Amino acid sequence: MVRITIVGTGYVGLVTGACFAEVGHRVVCVDNDEKKVALLKAGGIPIYEPGLEELVARNTAAGRLRFTLSTAEGVEASEVIFIAVPTPPLPDGSTDLSFVERVAREVAGAMTEYKIVVDKSTVPVKTGEKVAETIKRYNKRGVDFDVASNPEFLREGSAVQDLMHPDRVVIGVTNPRPVGKLKEIYAPFNAPVIVTDINSAELIKHACNSFLAMKISYANLMAAVCETTGANVLDVVHGMGLDKRIGRAFLDAGLGYGGSCFPKDISAFIHIGEQLGLDFGLLREVAKINAQQIQRFLKKIRDTLWILKDKRIAVLGLSFKPNTDDMRLAPSVEVIRALLKDGAIIRAYDPKAMPKAREVLPEIEYAKDPYDAAHGADALVLCTEWDEFRQLDLERLRAVMAHPIVFDGRNVFDKERMKQLGFIYRGVGR
Ligand code: UDX
């Protein structure tokens, strides 16, 4: 059992804290948001993430997980302090590290005995050095400490699974002293652990996300080729994916990547490259293809419906991916805003994201289920591939629509079946 404090109770901090507690560690989660801490203390959960609510409830009840507003209390309670605060983008694409810096200062000021301070937030390479300098400067008592990097690789929607069964654990250190304790934390997860220097650990995270985004944009580029040649992108990525050197994962063409990680991490990595005097034209192209993907989809809608003014359009799926209520950089928002600008009337449905969507898109109507969204619609646009949509009664869907036209932004439906059922069907790359 290791005593662990996690500063920052967002997606990463909360899921990590709950999973560490689940395997037997004693965890304190710190956040400076009073409402959030009050909600968590009362047994509520600020986000939707499968399995998380039960995990938090079970471990809080068992006394292994608790929440506080006080960083000092968290530092006092534990030997290992994880930093899991946001690292949002600045207007120029670089990373805002002010939250990380503030936590480093607070932790330094509260330390009275040896601590291992581990950065889990996604940060530019060489941030660990700055964190160590900061702690040294603000640690007036001259207390001994180590800094480490331990990037997270969890995906929203499957974060608990990803954390409980990691492909690998990356630990970046400047000396061997903290390695034993950090390995002890991860021992129950039975995953390969790699120990590197801090710069390499920080780089692994940006390298992975950029590579995965590149796979997605590559698939989307192939989709564009398929659309102009009559080939089928589903067959193309199937054929590519069976090559063991490539693999099938992250080759789904669609509306491109969104969310709080890929867009931000790619911009940050491009910026890091510039600062290092390297031309990351490769990644600029990845981002460009991603942006074009939505424009090509909108063109398909406009080409088919011609005039959008006063057309009723149903939108299914709002979150940036299934199994989350996260609306951050969700492709649906860009699609809907463009349709609204053209004068369309939007009625949307999402299994979980509607409360958060209302904040971002207050000007649209929200439906109680997919059929309600589609009722009387001139067309239906699918933006997120929730499982629920795969199970739709398509005959019923067609019957409630004024015109059975479907734009499937995630290739959820079978093209032939849709045609047989009398739909005009437009997927991506097929
Ligand atoms: C990602 C990384 O996967 C994770 O390791 C990291 O720690 C955080 O960023 P996340 O953003 O939660 O996780 O979701 P992910 O499943 O990676 O999907 C990202 C975006 O890519 C989504 O918008 C998704 O719809 C899109 N995507 C994914 C595709 O368009 N095609 C694919 O084949 C896969």
Side-chain angles (χ1 to χ4, degrees), residues 99-179:
F99 302 105
V100 172
E101 194 261 358
R102 199 193 57 218
V103 173
R105 272 190 282 133
E106 285 175 9
V107 170
M111 292 186 334
T112 53
E113 56 187 344
Y114 173 73
K115 302 287 171 188
I116 303 169
V117 183
V118 190
D119 175 62
K120 207 170 232 320
S121 304
T122 301
V123 294
V125 55
K126 294 179 96 61
T127 299
E129 291 174 8
K130 293 284 178 204
V131 169
E133 277 171 29
T134 304
I135 296 178
K136 202 163 172 212
R137 188 171 309 138
Y138 287 86
N139 159 18
K140 300 283 186 217
R141 301 179 189 93
V143 176
D144 205 8
F145 70 95
D146 277 306
V147 165
S149 163
N150 172 226
E152 54 81 18
F153 299 101
L154 51 86
R155 291 165 298 176
E156 290 181 24
S158 56
V160 172
Q161 273 299 314
D162 288 347
L163 222 137
M164 296 304 280
H165 308 283
D167 287 348
R168 75 323 205 169
V169 171
V170 175
I171 293 174
V173 288
T174 49
N175 72 71
R177 183 166 55 171
V179 173

Side-chain angles (χ1 to χ4, degrees), residues 222-343:
M222 292 309 109
V225 181
C226 288
E227 281 175 16
T228 44
T229 56
N232 183 341
V233 78
L234 295 183
D235 292 334
V236 172
V237 296
H238 181 56
M240 286 173 68
L242 286 174
D243 187 323
K244 287 196 185 70
R245 294 168 301 176
I246 298 174
R248 176 61 184 81
F250 280 72
L251 284 178
D252 288 322
L255 290 177
Y257 58 80
S260 66
C261 288
F262 283 1
K264 154 180 99 98
D265 290 354
I266 278 66
S267 304
F269 210 25
I270 291 171
H271 200 269
I272 291 165
E274 276 166 11
Q275 285 189 323
L276 298 173
L278 301 168
D279 183 4
F280 273 10
L282 175 69
L283 295 185
R284 276 199 297 275
E285 207 57 35
V286 167
K288 189 169 126 196
I289 293 170
N290 199 53
Q292 281 169 353
Q293 200 59 11
I294 291 189
Q295 295 312 318
R296 293 198 312 110
F297 188 68
L298 286 166
K299 180 172 185 309
K300 217 175 283 177
I301 298 174
R302 291 182 184 121
D303 285 351
T304 309
L305 300 183
W306 187 26
I307 304 293
L308 289 179
K309 190 166 182 317
D310 298 331
K311 293 265 160 68
R312 298 194 69 89
I313 300 184
V315 175
L316 296 190
L318 296 167
S319 54
F320 85 97
K321 61 178 279 189
N323 299 320
T324 175
D325 62 352
D326 198 340
M327 288 296 296
R328 287 177 290 177
L329 294 186
S332 69
V333 177
E334 201 176 328
V335 170
I336 289 172
R337 287 202 176 130
L339 298 176
L340 285 173
K341 209 164 161 228
D342 288 351

